[in-house]
């Protein structure tokens, strides 16, 4: 059997946190498909990166990132739908991922020309939301 029995009965946090994780999953799978399946991985048409030099490397890195986003998103979706007891863990992982992405985008590896792709702005909205839903997922509703 590929998937073990559901752990949803063991989840004690807010159900809305698991649903939010499901939305995060779609927010990983969708861009992952864009990065993997678009001819330029979205680097040019969405992020507006200059592909005139090192196009193959940039598109290859976008495809690699897309592959990891798709796999991670499927894991998030499995937790949201079937293994809700892992919701706090996966929200913590999402918080770490997005916080590191924000630090890189806005502080340590910020673009010298000030350009930011859409995800750099989305992460600023998602970080506080993830914190809120993580806190809700940790509250014991059955206590």
């Amino acid at each position: 059997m590929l998937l073990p029995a559901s752990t949803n009965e063991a989840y004690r946090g807010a159900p809305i946190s698991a649903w939010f994780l499901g939305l995060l999953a779609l927010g990983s799978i969708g861009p992952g498909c864009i990065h993997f399946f678009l001819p330029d991985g979205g680097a040019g048409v969405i992020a507006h990166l200059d592909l005139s030099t090192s196009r193959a490397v940039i598109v290859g890195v976008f495809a690699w990132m897309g592959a990891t986003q798709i796999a991670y998103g499927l894991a998030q979706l499995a937790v949201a739908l079937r293994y809700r007891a892992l919701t706090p863990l996966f929200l913590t992982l999402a918080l770490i991922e997005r916080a590191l992405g924000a630090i890189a985008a806005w502080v340590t590896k910020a673009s010298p020309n000030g350009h930011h792709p859409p995800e750099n702005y989305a992460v600023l909205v998602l970080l506080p939301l993830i914190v809120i839903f993580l806190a809700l997922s940790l509250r014991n509703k059955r206590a």
Side-chain angles (χ1 to χ4, degrees):
M1 180 147 68
L2 180 63
L3 297 174
S6 174
T7 64
N8 287 353
E9 291 299 317
Y11 179 59
R12 303 282 189 259
I16 195 167
S17 293
W19 288 108
F20 178 74
L21 182 62
L23 290 175
L24 284 179
L26 298 177
S28 292
I29 295 168
C33 289
I34 289 168
H35 293 324
F36 192 81
F37 294 111
L38 275 184
D40 75 345
V45 298
I46 296 172
H48 304 292
L49 298 179
D50 178 7
L51 298 177
S52 61
T53 59
S54 302
R55 178 185 175 86
V57 171
I58 294 168
V59 172
V61 168
F62 268 58
W64 173 43
M65 183 62 189
T68 62
Q69 286 175 303
I70 293 167
Y72 179 55
L74 290 172
Q76 288 175 313
L77 196 57
V79 168
L81 298 176
R82 212 172 142 86
Y83 305 105
R84 290 188 178 165
L86 296 173
T87 296
L89 171 65
F90 270 72
L91 288 173
T92 301
L93 293 173
L95 181 63
I96 293 167
E97 173 198 21
R98 301 299 167 99
L100 291 173
I103 291 167
W106 294 99
V107 181
T108 62
K109 300 180 186 334
S111 174
N113 66 1
H115 173 73
H116 292 280
E119 173 62 20
N120 290 174
Y121 296 98
V123 74
L124 298 177
V125 174
L126 283 173
L127 278 172
L129 290 174
I130 293 170
V131 169
I132 290 166
F133 286 105
L134 174 58
L136 291 172
S137 76
L138 292 170
R139 290 178 43 192
N140 189 347
K141 289 190 69 172
R142 294 186 189 173

